[in-house]
Amino acid sequence: MKIISVVGARPNFMKIAPFCRAIEKQNQENQNSTIEHLLVHTGQHYDVRMSSAFFESLGIPDPDINLEIGSGSHATQVGETMIAFEKVLLEEKPDWVVVVGDVNATLACSVTAKKLKIKVCHIEAGLRSGDIGMPEEINRLVTDRLSDLLLTPDAMSSDNLRGEGAEEERISFVGNIMIDTLEENREKAEERNLDAVIKENLAHDTEYNEKALKDDGYAVMTMHRPSNVDKKEVLEPLLTFLMEEVAGQMPLVWPIHPRARKQLEKFGLWEKAVATENLVLLEPVGYHDMLRLNMGAALMLTDSGGLQEECCVLGTPCLTMRWNTERPITLREHGGASVLVGNDVEKVRKEFRNTLDKDRKPMRPEKWDGKTAERCLDSILKISD
Ligand code: UD1
């Protein structure tokens, strides 16, 4: 059997790492019927800190093929990926294409494979925010409609698919593959020294006060969604609150995504952020460093989906700066660590005060046990028999 797995952007890398390992293990144990596996990187993310650093630190094999699509509008990224990926499929003729998550690579490669009548498997199927204004929601809907095998992280996602009419034999509840990576790397992250994490990643030329950061005494944030960073009238008040009230209370560590940095510079807010005492601006950080920051933080503020999940398992109280989530299982009302606060300063302020009093309460949804990748591969092998 021949499988092509696809990655494109940063959040894909931690999902594909355990799947690659599951295939290697399967091949070692079954040397008479090995799986031929090719890894394709579409190249949507290309900076060392956004891409190759993750391959190295997570032990992902180098991509067999890099389509080098790079940045561009959504149509450009999706269109160019489809053209380039079609050539790969015609040449390689795989039995399966495996896509993960909800980025543009996920959409482009699943459509291309399906049109060539190649079977598609989607890892992390069934998540729905209900917000069709999000590019990721469009990617999820299209990918899931086309996929032959829908591997879901939780029972709610399986129900979403059933509600949309997906046939039962296409759906398999396997758990959350990101948590395989978290468990595999937990120890390495714990060993990271907090000061070293900061010093090695500072985003600008500045002195760092070594005594500033202590476990449980700082907040960490990430923010990159177009809905939060692309409009000055949204970003500026949010940033003012974060700089004055959050950083006014405790050190606030912010590893900055290239999109967010670009927008800060464009709106003339970068210098102000740099000058804010107690706001520690970092370059995009590697997997272990981000996990370390998350483990030690009193509080997370984020608009990332993956971090909501990691906070849930680590128990870090999390303010999710979105109005909806495709990951409701991570919310407090379902036992998780996260609460939706949108990007309205009043709401963020209220929940910020409220959340500071919350204790760390790790929670592990069913099958978030570090063994999801093996279940993913088993599901593929089962329907290929
Ligand atoms: C993409 C995903 C999003 C995911 C995010 C995580 C889609 C639709 N969105 O959004 O779901 O949460 O990745 O990072 O696929 N850039 C660099 N260097 C890079 C990559 C990007 O400087 O290595 C800059 C580009 O100039 C671009 C901006 O960052 O303008 C945004 O990148 P893009 O790939 O368009 O989408 P993300 O916002 O990263």
Side-chain angles (χ1 to χ4, degrees):
M1 187 192 345
K2 185 167 181 174
I3 297 178
I4 288 188
S5 303
V6 177
V7 288
R10 186 172 62 179
N12 292 163
F13 306 139
M14 34 294 223
K15 294 170 194 165
I16 217 63
F19 186 68
C20 293
R21 253 196 310 282
I23 293 184
E24 280 164 24
K25 185 165 169 241
Q26 168 76 21
N27 283 346
Q28 276 162 11
E29 289 168 4
N30 299 279
Q31 298 200 348
N32 316 331
S33 62
T34 54
I35 298 166
E36 192 184 343
H37 184 219
L38 292 180
L39 183 59
V40 172
H41 189 339
T42 67
Q44 178 176 342
H45 285 177
Y46 44 85
D47 284 351
V48 171
R49 282 175 172 272
M50 296 295 286
S51 179
S52 52
F54 286 82
F55 280 75
E56 202 174 304
S57 67
L58 298 178
I60 307 169
D62 285 343
D64 296 284
I65 298 163
N66 192 323
L67 307 179
E68 295 182 351
I69 299 307
S71 300
S73 69
H74 286 263
T76 305
Q77 282 183 341
V78 171
E80 288 185 358
T81 304
M82 288 181 72
I83 295 167
F85 191 57
E86 184 181 51
K87 293 193 182 112
V88 172
L89 293 180
L90 291 171
E91 175 92 3
E92 299 293 342
K93 300 186 177 50
D95 301 292
W96 282 94
V97 166
V98 174
V99 294
V100 295
D102 54 17
V103 302
N104 287 337
T106 317
L107 167 78
C109 295
S110 53
V111 174
T112 311
K114 200 62 195 165
K115 281 184 179 257
L116 291 175
K117 303 191 175 16
I118 295 166
K119 289 198 284 281
V120 177
C121 166
H122 184 201
I123 299 181
E124 204 186 73
L127 298 183
R128 296 291 180 268
S129 67
D131 176 3
I132 196 76
M134 279 178 84
E136 294 82 1
E137 184 77 351
I138 300 170
N139 296 345
R140 290 180 205 117
L141 283 166
V142 176
T143 302
D144 285 347
R145 185 66 189 86
L146 300 180
S147 294
D148 298 272
L149 186 53
L150 297 157
L151 302 179
T152 67
D154 53 61
M156 287 164 131
S157 299
S158 301
D159 286 344
N160 288 339
L161 295 167
R162 289 183 188 111
E164 290 169 11
E167 301 80 354
E168 204 55 44
E169 56 274 19
R170 287 167 61 211
I171 306 171
S172 178
F173 166 31
V174 292
N176 189 336
I177 200 160
M178 291 256 294
I179 306 305
D180 291 21
T181 301
L182 189 153
E183 295 306 344
E184 176 85 20
N185 290 279
R186 200 188 261 269
E187 265 177 43
K188 269 197 195 148
E190 272 162 358
E191 284 163 11
R192 289 288 287 148
N193 173 286
L194 205 50
D195 278 328
V197 171
I198 303 296
K199 278 198 198 150
E200 288 166 22
N201 293 292
L202 280 175
H204 55 94
D205 203 12
T206 181
E207 287 296 305
Y208 164 64
N209 172 2
E210 289 223 2
K211 290 181 201 81
L213 235 57
K214 289 203 177 63
D215 278 318
D216 285 325
Y218 65 92
V220 61
M221 72 176 261
T222 76
M223 181 164 71
H224 72 281
R225 299 247 169 230
S227 55
N228 283 335
V229 303
D230 281 6
K231 285 201 193 109
K232 189 176 183 185
E233 60 273 26
V234 175
L235 181 59
E236 192 167 21
L238 206 50
L239 194 69
T240 304
F241 165 77
L242 294 162
M243 291 187 300
E244 290 177 4
E245 298 182 47
V246 179
Q249 184 133 358
M250 57 173 70
L252 175 60
V253 183
W254 184 9
I256 301 200
H257 186 286
R259 169 191 284 280
R261 180 163 183 163
K262 241 189 221 168
Q263 297 305 100
L264 287 182
E265 287 169 351
K266 182 168 138 194
F267 300 144
L269 299 167
W270 175 251
E271 294 307 326
K272 204 168 148 194
V274 168
T276 301
E277 206 185 331
N278 256 353
L279 178 61
V280 186
L281 299 167
L282 303 183
E283 299 286 351
V285 299
Y287 184 80
H288 297 111
D289 287 356
M290 192 64 221
L291 193 53
R292 174 67 184 89
L293 287 172
N294 191 348
M295 283 170 169
L299 179 78
M300 168 79 71
L301 297 114
T302 190
D303 61 9
S304 142
L307 281 165
Q308 281 170 61
E309 296 176 337
E310 288 163 0
C311 282
C312 187
V313 171
L314 298 172
T316 315
C318 174
L319 298 185
T320 299
M321 295 184 290
R322 293 177 48 190
W323 294 110
N324 48 56
T325 179
E326 61 289 333
R327 295 164 162 92
I329 199 158
T330 64
L331 295 177
R332 275 186 209 154
E333 55 260 43
H334 296 290
S338 148
V339 58
L340 294 176
V341 293
N343 49 24
D344 172 74
V345 169
E346 271 313 308
K347 180 131 173 93
V348 188
R349 177 181 291 124
K350 186 169 153 261
E351 284 297 339
F352 171 63
R353 292 195 185 130
N354 194 3
T355 302
L356 278 181
D357 303 329
K358 292 262 178 289
D359 289 334
R360 217 159 244 285
K361 226 175 76 199
M363 177 265 207
R364 196 178 287 277
E366 191 186 350
K367 296 193 191 172
W368 291 27
D369 56 1
K371 299 195 176 98
T372 292
E374 287 176 25
R375 287 191 285 267
C376 289
L377 188 55
D378 283 349
S379 300
I380 294 175
L381 293 174
K382 206 153 99 198
I383 68 165
S384 306
D385 278 347

